[in-house]
Amino acid sequence: DTLDELLSDLDAGVAALERVRGKLGQYRAAVLKAAVSGELTAEWREKHPAEESASILLERILAERRRRWEDAQLQKFEDAGKAPPKDWKAKYPQPVAPDTTNLPPLPSGWCWATPQQLGNVQLGRQRAPQHHHGDHMRPYLRVANVYEGRIDLGSVYEMNFTPDEYNTFRLENGDILLNEGQSLELVGRSAIYRDELPGACFTNTLVRFRPHHSVLPEYAQVYFMACLRSHRFRRLARWTTNIAHLGVDRFAVMEFPLPPLGEQKAIVELVEDDLSIIYHLEANLEAKLQSSSGLRQSILR
């Protein structure tokens, strides 16, 4: 009878801890949703009027994007020893704007954009037998290396990337990597690359988002974590036989709520403060759950 009473008390304690862990997950999702909807920084906006609205910021980003494309095209013509044709500027690939028909209203000073407008979106290179050997072997990251908010280097392989391929698929500090092919629950899981593996590239199991310098990687990561928690990536993905694919083309034109630069910084600071508390509580919960197993054995002994 004593044993039954002790073990039932222990089971009740474990169940309570599990409920708390579930509520922490809900709280994390709520913090992320409030961050990317403007609710988290409502008081901050009242005290800090934006010096430049997000719509003006977007116009500046798009103008710089076009200018870089034109400079690159002119360099190609010069390298080829050719004069630019008369209508060469008309061939500029205009980035797709978001469809705002069914999108919720944003706070004053914010605007809707797409990842394609705000940076470079690139799918990694496919693995193939001919790339397993060569004169330009480099480490690469794949879906197994990208967890939510962190890069895991426990298992890293190498593949041959020619200089031109390296220029296309190399990773830079501040790039965000998202799981392109994953389970339906984890598709779109993302982390910021912080040069943990210098000279690394990435495969086509990942999508790289390289934001413009006026879009903080940390803010973009907050939004992508919110998309994961709200199942936005799940709705965006396409399900095949046993895996979900985010789709680089679908991701490139999905909606992206853009705040002014100053508010991006405020959002990142507030989210980091809240998430650090959640991580601390989760670590304590895990320790207590692990100790419950040892306590059960002690009761039986």
Side-chain angles (χ1 to χ4, degrees):
D1 290 342
T2 302
L3 185 62
D4 285 343
E5 181 180 355
L6 290 172
L7 292 182
S8 63
D9 287 345
L10 180 60
D11 289 340
V14 170
L17 290 174
E18 292 289 355
R19 287 195 297 271
V20 172
R21 181 159 61 178
K23 290 185 179 298
L24 284 175
Q26 295 172 7
Y27 178 55
R28 177 190 279 106
V31 168
L32 295 171
K33 180 181 178 181
V36 299
S37 65
E39 182 182 348
L40 190 64
T41 45
E43 293 184 7
W44 184 93
R45 279 194 302 277
E46 294 179 1
K47 300 176 181 178
H48 304 84
E51 296 181 0
E52 179 184 62
S53 68
S55 58
I56 296 176
L57 175 63
L58 178 60
E59 290 177 4
R60 186 158 48 82
I61 291 173
L62 293 176
E64 185 176 330
R65 184 182 189 275
R66 180 172 189 122
R67 186 170 59 253
R68 288 200 305 267
W69 179 85
E70 291 179 354
D71 291 344
Q73 294 300 110
L74 288 173
Q75 187 62 50
K76 288 181 181 179
F77 291 133
E78 182 179 341
D79 293 343
K82 298 180 180 178
K86 185 176 181 180
D87 59 346
W88 68 277
K89 290 186 178 181
K91 297 182 179 179
Y92 172 66
Q94 190 73 31
V96 177
D99 180 4
T100 60
T101 305
N102 298 315
L103 295 178
L106 290 173
S108 175
W110 292 41
C111 74
W112 288 108
T114 63
Q116 190 178 74
Q117 290 180 310
L118 299 178
N120 174 267
V121 179
Q122 174 73 48
L123 184 67
R125 197 189 69 180
Q126 185 175 6
R127 293 177 60 191
Q130 65 266 28
H131 302 316
H132 293 171
H133 304 282
D135 298 328
H136 306 283
M137 300 297 289
R138 291 188 175 275
Y140 64 87
L141 299 181
R142 63 197 197 283
V143 72
N145 302 114
V146 178
Y147 290 78
E148 188 179 25
R150 65 183 178 91
I151 302 292
D152 187 290
L153 300 180
S155 176
V156 175
Y157 302 116
E158 289 190 346
M159 193 161 46
N160 190 64
F161 289 86
T162 66
D164 286 343
E165 290 172 333
Y166 176 64
N167 188 52
T168 300
F169 299 108
R170 63 187 175 88
L171 292 173
E172 294 182 358
N173 185 30
D175 287 349
I176 301 178
L177 295 171
L178 301 97
N179 289 183
E180 197 286 324
Q182 251 289 10
S183 65
L184 199 57
E185 295 76 19
L186 298 178
V187 66
R189 185 171 64 178
S190 61
I192 302 176
Y193 174 76
R194 295 296 190 188
D195 212 19
E196 295 92 339
L197 189 65
C201 297
F202 65 110
T203 69
N204 64 344
T205 60
L206 298 171
V207 174
R208 182 191 69 196
F209 175 60
R210 179 173 293 165
H212 184 273
H213 59 78
S214 294
V215 180
L216 297 182
E218 295 82 4
Y219 170 74
Q221 171 65 7
V222 167
Y223 177 59
F224 296 150
M225 288 194 298
C227 288
L228 181 68
R229 298 284 171 171
S230 66
H231 306 306
R232 177 66 184 95
F233 285 144
R234 181 189 296 196
R235 296 192 300 273
L236 187 69
R238 295 293 180 268
W239 177 257
T240 60
T241 305
N242 58 357
I243 194 170
H245 289 280
L246 183 63
V248 64
D249 293 332
R250 292 188 297 273
F251 168 76
V253 298
M254 71 175 285
E255 70 283 355
F256 189 107
L258 180 66
L261 184 57
E263 192 165 353
Q264 292 180 42
K265 297 176 182 177
I267 289 171
V268 170
E269 292 176 0
L270 291 171
V271 169
E272 287 180 348
D273 289 343
D274 285 344
L275 292 188
S276 65
I277 296 172
I278 294 174
Y279 292 144
H280 178 71
L281 292 174
E282 284 179 334
N284 285 340
L285 280 175
E286 289 299 326
K288 287 180 171 58
L289 286 169
Q290 291 180 9
S291 67
S292 67
S293 177
L295 183 57
R296 187 179 302 276
Q297 296 301 317
S298 298
I299 291 173
L300 294 173
R301 283 197 298 271

